[in-house]
């Protein structure tokens, strides 16, 4: 099950990065392999580097009421572009808007697989979803 959850998460991130590449003119990916590599590395960077940066930037996050998280996300995308040779991001603002697109697409696609218990399932086939036995009070 863990491998399936990882592959679903990677697929969601890949689709999100692909959408950002198509919607933001400053994000370029030369091949499908680069797209897969960039999305895999983005997932790894978001899992290990991003929490450290968020912890270090707590004062900025508080002062900006959370908007600084968007800057951290853009920096993660720029870091991936520096490491993956066939994936490029032209400037901070392209990374900023690209990270917003990636976040939105990932959030929307993940909602089809993640249930309220936090585990990844195909929601329409999840066995624990039951009809509520309740009445409406007016």
């Amino acid at each position: 099950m863990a491998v399936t959850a990882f592959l679903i998460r990677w697929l969601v991130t890949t689709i999100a990065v692909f959408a950002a590449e198509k919607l933001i003119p400053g994000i370029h990916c030369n091949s499908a392999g680069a797209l897969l590599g960039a999305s895999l590395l983005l997932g790894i960077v978001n899992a290990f580097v991003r929490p450290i940066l968020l912890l270090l930037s707590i004062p900025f996050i508080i002062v900006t009421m959370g908007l600084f998280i968007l800057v951290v996300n853009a920096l993660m995308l720029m870091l991936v572009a520096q490491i993956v040779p066939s994936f490029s991001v032209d400037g901070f603002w392209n990374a900023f808007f690209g990270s917003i697109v990636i976040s939105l697409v990932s959030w929307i696609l993940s909602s089809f697989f993640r249930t309220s218990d936090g585990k990844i399932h195909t929601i329409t086939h999840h066995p624990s979803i039951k009809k509520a036995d309740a009445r409406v009070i007016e």
Side-chain angles (χ1 to χ4, degrees), residues 2-35:
V3 173
T4 305
F6 169 77
L7 291 175
I8 289 172
R9 185 75 229 148
W10 187 15
L11 176 67
V12 165
T13 306
T14 303
I15 293 170
V17 172
F18 180 74
E21 181 203 5
K22 294 301 177 190
L23 294 173
I24 307 298
I27 298 177
H28 309 286
C29 193
N30 296 337
S31 67
L35 180 66

Short mmCIF file of all heavy atoms in Angstrom, two decimals, residues 2-35:
data_model
loop_
_atom_site.label_atom_id
_atom_site.label_comp_id
_atom_site.label_asym_id
_atom_site.label_seq_id
_atom_site.Cartn_x
_atom_site.Cartn_y
_atom_site.Cartn_z
N ALA A 2 2.02 1.22 0.67
CA ALA A 2 2.88 2.41 0.74
C ALA A 2 3.43 2.75 -0.63
O ALA A 2 3.57 3.92 -0.98
CB ALA A 2 4.01 2.18 1.73
N VAL A 3 3.74 1.74 -1.44
CA VAL A 3 4.25 1.99 -2.79
C VAL A 3 3.16 2.62 -3.64
O VAL A 3 3.41 3.56 -4.40
CB VAL A 3 4.77 0.68 -3.42
CG1 VAL A 3 5.16 0.89 -4.87
CG2 VAL A 3 5.95 0.13 -2.62
N THR A 4 1.94 2.14 -3.51
CA THR A 4 0.82 2.69 -4.27
C THR A 4 0.59 4.15 -3.88
O THR A 4 0.38 5.00 -4.75
CB THR A 4 -0.45 1.87 -4.02
OG1 THR A 4 -0.19 0.52 -4.33
CG2 THR A 4 -1.60 2.38 -4.85
N ALA A 5 0.63 4.44 -2.59
CA ALA A 5 0.44 5.82 -2.13
C ALA A 5 1.54 6.73 -2.66
O ALA A 5 1.28 7.86 -3.09
CB ALA A 5 0.41 5.87 -0.61
N PHE A 6 2.77 6.23 -2.66
CA PHE A 6 3.89 7.01 -3.19
C PHE A 6 3.71 7.27 -4.68
O PHE A 6 3.91 8.41 -5.15
CB PHE A 6 5.21 6.27 -2.95
CG PHE A 6 6.38 6.87 -3.68
CD1 PHE A 6 6.97 8.04 -3.21
CD2 PHE A 6 6.87 6.29 -4.83
CE1 PHE A 6 8.02 8.61 -3.90
CE2 PHE A 6 7.92 6.86 -5.51
CZ PHE A 6 8.51 8.02 -5.05
N LEU A 7 3.32 6.26 -5.44
CA LEU A 7 3.14 6.42 -6.88
C LEU A 7 1.99 7.37 -7.20
O LEU A 7 2.09 8.18 -8.14
CB LEU A 7 2.92 5.07 -7.54
CG LEU A 7 4.15 4.14 -7.57
CD1 LEU A 7 3.78 2.78 -8.15
CD2 LEU A 7 5.30 4.77 -8.34
N ILE A 8 0.91 7.30 -6.43
CA ILE A 8 -0.20 8.24 -6.63
C ILE A 8 0.25 9.66 -6.35
O ILE A 8 -0.03 10.59 -7.11
CB ILE A 8 -1.41 7.84 -5.75
CG1 ILE A 8 -2.04 6.56 -6.28
CG2 ILE A 8 -2.43 8.97 -5.69
CD1 ILE A 8 -3.12 5.99 -5.38
N ARG A 9 0.99 9.86 -5.26
CA ARG A 9 1.47 11.20 -4.89
C ARG A 9 2.41 11.73 -5.97
O ARG A 9 2.36 12.91 -6.33
CB ARG A 9 2.19 11.11 -3.54
CG ARG A 9 2.63 12.39 -2.98
CD ARG A 9 1.44 13.16 -2.42
NE ARG A 9 1.53 14.50 -2.95
CZ ARG A 9 0.53 15.29 -3.25
NH1 ARG A 9 -0.68 14.91 -3.05
NH2 ARG A 9 0.72 16.48 -3.75
N TRP A 10 3.28 10.87 -6.49
CA TRP A 10 4.22 11.26 -7.55
C TRP A 10 3.46 11.62 -8.83
O TRP A 10 3.78 12.61 -9.50
CB TRP A 10 5.21 10.13 -7.80
CG TRP A 10 6.34 10.44 -8.72
CD1 TRP A 10 6.76 11.66 -9.16
CD2 TRP A 10 7.22 9.49 -9.33
NE1 TRP A 10 7.84 11.54 -9.99
CE2 TRP A 10 8.14 10.21 -10.12
CE3 TRP A 10 7.32 8.12 -9.28
CZ2 TRP A 10 9.15 9.58 -10.85
CZ3 TRP A 10 8.32 7.51 -10.01
CH2 TRP A 10 9.23 8.24 -10.78
N LEU A 11 2.45 10.83 -9.16
CA LEU A 11 1.64 11.12 -10.35
C LEU A 11 0.91 12.46 -10.20
O LEU A 11 0.88 13.27 -11.14
CB LEU A 11 0.63 10.00 -10.58
CG LEU A 11 -0.36 10.22 -11.73
CD1 LEU A 11 0.37 10.22 -13.07
CD2 LEU A 11 -1.44 9.16 -11.71
N VAL A 12 0.36 12.72 -9.03
CA VAL A 12 -0.32 13.99 -8.78
C VAL A 12 0.65 15.15 -8.93
O VAL A 12 0.35 16.16 -9.58
CB VAL A 12 -0.99 13.98 -7.38
CG1 VAL A 12 -1.40 15.37 -6.94
CG2 VAL A 12 -2.19 13.05 -7.38
N THR A 13 1.84 15.03 -8.36
CA THR A 13 2.84 16.09 -8.46
C THR A 13 3.30 16.27 -9.90
O THR A 13 3.49 17.40 -10.36
CB THR A 13 4.05 15.78 -7.55
OG1 THR A 13 3.58 15.55 -6.22
CG2 THR A 13 5.04 16.92 -7.54
N THR A 14 3.45 15.19 -10.63
CA THR A 14 3.86 15.26 -12.04
C THR A 14 2.81 16.00 -12.86
O THR A 14 3.15 16.87 -13.68
CB THR A 14 4.10 13.86 -12.62
OG1 THR A 14 5.09 13.19 -11.83
CG2 THR A 14 4.55 13.92 -14.06
N ILE A 15 1.56 15.69 -12.65
CA ILE A 15 0.49 16.39 -13.38
C ILE A 15 0.47 17.86 -13.00
O ILE A 15 0.28 18.74 -13.86
CB ILE A 15 -0.87 15.71 -13.10
CG1 ILE A 15 -0.88 14.31 -13.71
CG2 ILE A 15 -2.02 16.55 -13.64
CD1 ILE A 15 -2.07 13.47 -13.29
N ALA A 16 0.70 18.16 -11.73
CA ALA A 16 0.71 19.56 -11.28
C ALA A 16 1.86 20.34 -11.90
O ALA A 16 1.69 21.49 -12.33
CB ALA A 16 0.78 19.61 -9.75
N VAL A 17 3.05 19.74 -11.96
CA VAL A 17 4.21 20.41 -12.58
C VAL A 17 3.96 20.57 -14.07
O VAL A 17 4.29 21.62 -14.66
CB VAL A 17 5.51 19.63 -12.29
CG1 VAL A 17 6.68 20.20 -13.08
CG2 VAL A 17 5.83 19.64 -10.80
N PHE A 18 3.36 19.58 -14.71
CA PHE A 18 3.03 19.68 -16.13
C PHE A 18 2.04 20.83 -16.38
O PHE A 18 2.20 21.60 -17.33
CB PHE A 18 2.44 18.35 -16.62
CG PHE A 18 2.06 18.36 -18.08
CD1 PHE A 18 3.03 18.31 -19.06
CD2 PHE A 18 0.73 18.42 -18.45
CE1 PHE A 18 2.68 18.32 -20.41
CE2 PHE A 18 0.37 18.43 -19.79
CZ PHE A 18 1.35 18.38 -20.77
N ALA A 19 1.04 20.96 -15.50
CA ALA A 19 0.08 22.05 -15.63
C ALA A 19 0.77 23.41 -15.47
O ALA A 19 0.48 24.36 -16.21
CB ALA A 19 -1.04 21.89 -14.60
N ALA A 20 1.69 23.49 -14.52
CA ALA A 20 2.42 24.75 -14.32
C ALA A 20 3.27 25.08 -15.54
O ALA A 20 3.38 26.24 -15.94
CB ALA A 20 3.29 24.67 -13.07
N GLU A 21 3.87 24.05 -16.13
CA GLU A 21 4.69 24.28 -17.33
C GLU A 21 3.84 24.81 -18.47
O GLU A 21 4.27 25.69 -19.23
CB GLU A 21 5.38 22.99 -17.75
CG GLU A 21 6.25 23.18 -18.97
CD GLU A 21 6.50 21.91 -19.75
OE1 GLU A 21 5.93 20.88 -19.42
OE2 GLU A 21 7.26 22.00 -20.73
N LYS A 22 2.63 24.30 -18.61
CA LYS A 22 1.74 24.74 -19.70
C LYS A 22 1.14 26.12 -19.44
O LYS A 22 0.92 26.88 -20.37
CB LYS A 22 0.61 23.72 -19.92
CG LYS A 22 1.11 22.39 -20.43
CD LYS A 22 1.84 22.57 -21.75
CE LYS A 22 2.40 21.26 -22.25
NZ LYS A 22 3.29 21.42 -23.39
N LEU A 23 0.89 26.45 -18.17
CA LEU A 23 0.22 27.71 -17.85
C LEU A 23 1.17 28.89 -17.63
O LEU A 23 0.80 30.03 -17.89
CB LEU A 23 -0.67 27.53 -16.61
CG LEU A 23 -1.85 26.58 -16.78
CD1 LEU A 23 -2.55 26.36 -15.45
CD2 LEU A 23 -2.82 27.13 -17.81
N ILE A 24 2.36 28.63 -17.15
CA ILE A 24 3.32 29.70 -16.84
C ILE A 24 4.38 29.69 -17.92
O ILE A 24 5.12 28.71 -18.07
CB ILE A 24 3.96 29.49 -15.44
CG1 ILE A 24 2.88 29.30 -14.37
CG2 ILE A 24 4.89 30.64 -15.11
CD1 ILE A 24 1.96 30.47 -14.17
N PRO A 25 4.52 30.79 -18.68
CA PRO A 25 5.46 30.79 -19.81
C PRO A 25 6.93 30.69 -19.42
O PRO A 25 7.75 30.32 -20.23
CB PRO A 25 5.17 32.12 -20.51
CG PRO A 25 4.44 32.95 -19.52
CD PRO A 25 3.76 32.02 -18.58
N GLY A 26 7.29 30.98 -18.19
CA GLY A 26 8.69 30.94 -17.78
C GLY A 26 9.15 29.62 -17.22
O GLY A 26 10.28 29.50 -16.74
N ILE A 27 8.30 28.60 -17.26
CA ILE A 27 8.68 27.27 -16.77
C ILE A 27 8.79 26.36 -17.98
O ILE A 27 7.85 26.24 -18.76
CB ILE A 27 7.64 26.73 -15.76
CG1 ILE A 27 7.59 27.64 -14.54
CG2 ILE A 27 7.99 25.30 -15.36
CD1 ILE A 27 6.56 27.25 -13.51
N HIS A 28 9.97 25.72 -18.13
CA HIS A 28 10.24 24.90 -19.31
C HIS A 28 10.74 23.53 -18.88
O HIS A 28 11.54 23.40 -17.96
CB HIS A 28 11.31 25.55 -20.19
CG HIS A 28 11.02 26.96 -20.52
ND1 HIS A 28 10.06 27.35 -21.42
CD2 HIS A 28 11.56 28.12 -20.03
CE1 HIS A 28 10.02 28.67 -21.48
NE2 HIS A 28 10.91 29.15 -20.65
N CYS A 29 10.25 22.51 -19.57
CA CYS A 29 10.70 21.14 -19.34
C CYS A 29 10.93 20.51 -20.71
O CYS A 29 10.04 20.50 -21.55
CB CYS A 29 9.64 20.38 -18.56
SG CYS A 29 10.21 18.83 -17.92
N ASN A 30 12.14 20.01 -20.95
CA ASN A 30 12.51 19.53 -22.29
C ASN A 30 12.07 18.11 -22.61
O ASN A 30 12.03 17.74 -23.77
CB ASN A 30 14.02 19.66 -22.48
CG ASN A 30 14.48 21.09 -22.45
OD1 ASN A 30 13.70 22.01 -22.69
ND2 ASN A 30 15.74 21.29 -22.13
N SER A 31 11.78 17.30 -21.60
CA SER A 31 11.41 15.90 -21.87
C SER A 31 10.51 15.37 -20.76
O SER A 31 10.40 15.96 -19.69
CB SER A 31 12.66 15.04 -21.99
OG SER A 31 13.32 14.96 -20.74
N ALA A 32 9.90 14.24 -21.06
CA ALA A 32 9.05 13.59 -20.05
C ALA A 32 9.90 13.09 -18.87
O ALA A 32 9.46 13.13 -17.73
CB ALA A 32 8.28 12.43 -20.67
N GLY A 33 11.12 12.65 -19.17
CA GLY A 33 12.01 12.21 -18.10
C GLY A 33 12.37 13.35 -17.16
O GLY A 33 12.45 13.17 -15.95
N ALA A 34 12.60 14.52 -17.73
CA ALA A 34 12.90 15.69 -16.90
C ALA A 34 11.69 16.07 -16.07
O ALA A 34 11.83 16.47 -14.90
CB ALA A 34 13.33 16.86 -17.77
N LEU A 35 10.50 15.94 -16.64
CA LEU A 35 9.28 16.24 -15.90
C LEU A 35 9.11 15.27 -14.73
O LEU A 35 8.81 15.68 -13.61
CB LEU A 35 8.07 16.16 -16.83
CG LEU A 35 6.71 16.44 -16.21
CD1 LEU A 35 6.61 17.89 -15.76
CD2 LEU A 35 5.61 16.11 -17.20
#
